[in-house]
Amino acid sequence: MKREQLGQLILASEDSMYHVAKSLLYNDADCQDAIQEAIAKAFDKIGTLKQDTYAKTWLLRILINECYGIMRKEKKIISLKTCEQEEPWMERQDYSDLYEALMGLTEEARLAVTLYYMEGYNIREIARMTKVTESAVKSRLARARTKLKEELSKED
């Protein structure tokens, strides 16, 4: 793949990249940082892409790794006072009930739901991206659907 093609792919994948980053990170600034780092790494490591058909999957995998890196850094920085306070994403009231229910899921489940329902990836592709088995992806999706159904029915 050429650099120009990668640039076009990135432009076409803006929404997908944001959805994936937002499913793992709460803060929009962190999402932007993860996306920028992923783009820079993608251009730097373009030679490691073996098949052009998997370019978007490859790009999203880089983004997922960047999100996990930011999460690891934030874990080291969080103070005890922050832990005792309410979660930052709960303070916002402008998000829909579905978004708040999604944020109540585990990171793995949130990522699986985002990739499957919002981005349209199949179970095999999600398993490859997240480096787990297909049955693990199916289980995560099933548990997420059950929990979302419970949470959303509580609010009615």
Side-chain angles (χ1 to χ4, degrees), residues 6 30 42 72 78 94 97 105 111 119 125 137 155:
L6 179 59
D30 288 342
R72 277 191 302 276
I78 293 177
D94 59 338
D97 294 337
L105 298 174
L111 183 58
E119 300 306 321
E125 292 169 326
V137 173
E155 296 173 9

Side-chain angles (χ1 to χ4, degrees), residues 21-137:
K22 192 66 176 176
S23 72
L24 293 171
L25 304 170
Y26 300 118
N27 187 332
D28 283 337
D30 288 342
C31 292
Q32 291 172 349
D33 289 345
I35 291 169
Q36 287 176 349
E37 285 298 318
I39 291 170
K41 282 190 179 177
F43 276 109
D44 188 42
K45 305 283 185 185
I46 197 167
T48 63
L49 178 61
K50 293 179 179 134
Q51 294 180 6
D52 288 357
T53 55
Y54 296 118
K56 187 172 181 183
T57 302
W58 173 77
L59 180 62
L60 291 178
R61 183 68 231 172
I62 293 170
L63 176 60
I64 291 167
N65 288 338
E66 286 301 315
C67 290
Y68 284 142
I70 288 173
M71 291 165 62
R72 277 191 302 276
K73 287 177 189 171
E74 286 180 356
K75 265 187 191 172
K76 294 177 184 175
I77 300 173
I78 293 177
S79 69
L80 184 58
K81 288 181 183 178
T82 306
C83 293
E84 293 172 355
Q85 295 175 354
E86 191 174 324
E87 293 289 327
W89 60 271
M90 292 293 284
E91 295 172 7
R92 298 183 190 170
Q93 297 300 320
D94 59 338
Y95 290 116
S96 69
D97 294 337
L98 177 60
Y99 180 78
E100 288 184 19
L102 274 172
M103 290 297 116
L105 298 174
T106 64
E107 295 166 10
E108 294 86 9
R110 244 188 349 258
L111 183 58
V113 167
T114 301
L115 291 172
Y116 188 78
Y117 290 106
M118 297 173 88
E119 300 306 321
Y121 286 98
N122 64 40
I123 290 173
R124 178 174 288 147
E125 292 169 326
I126 295 170
R128 191 178 318 123
M129 267 192 264
T130 57
K131 297 180 181 175
V132 297
T133 63
E134 291 180 32
S135 59
V137 173

